[in-house]
Amino acid sequence: LQEILKARPDLFSGTSPLTIENRYIFSGFNIPKCKVMSSAKRPIFLSLFGESGGRFDIIFKHGDDLR
């Protein structure tokens, strides 16, 4: 996952609201912390930089409802 994020900086540019809580705006990936976890559903752990300087850590797994 880290290799993909490093190789494809065009995957995200600018800012975007988080899908789960749209009042939080993120501005990029904290690539060294992003990974595919080793549990059964292989969840993706994303670490995001907040527009205001904070950091958000989110786990997505197959079957999650992201609405």
Side-chain angles (χ1 to χ4, degrees):
L1 179 61
Q2 292 177 7
E3 290 175 14
I4 292 169
L5 293 173
K6 287 178 187 176
R8 296 283 316 273
D10 60 314
L11 289 176
F12 177 80
S13 63
T15 60
S16 179
L18 293 175
T19 57
I20 296 169
E21 184 60 64
N22 63 10
R23 66 185 169 155
Y24 298 115
I25 306 296
F26 74 94
S27 60
F29 294 100
N30 183 7
I31 294 174
K33 298 286 185 183
C34 295
K35 61 185 174 184
V36 178
M37 300 174 75
S38 61
S39 61
K41 288 193 173 186
R42 306 289 294 160
I44 296 174
F45 180 91
L46 294 178
S47 184
L48 309 167
F49 292 117
E51 183 180 46
S52 61
R55 194 179 94 197
F56 303 96
D57 294 331
I58 301 172
I59 297 174
F60 294 103
K61 64 183 179 305
H62 179 74
D64 282 348
D65 185 355
L66 301 179
R67 289 181 275 162

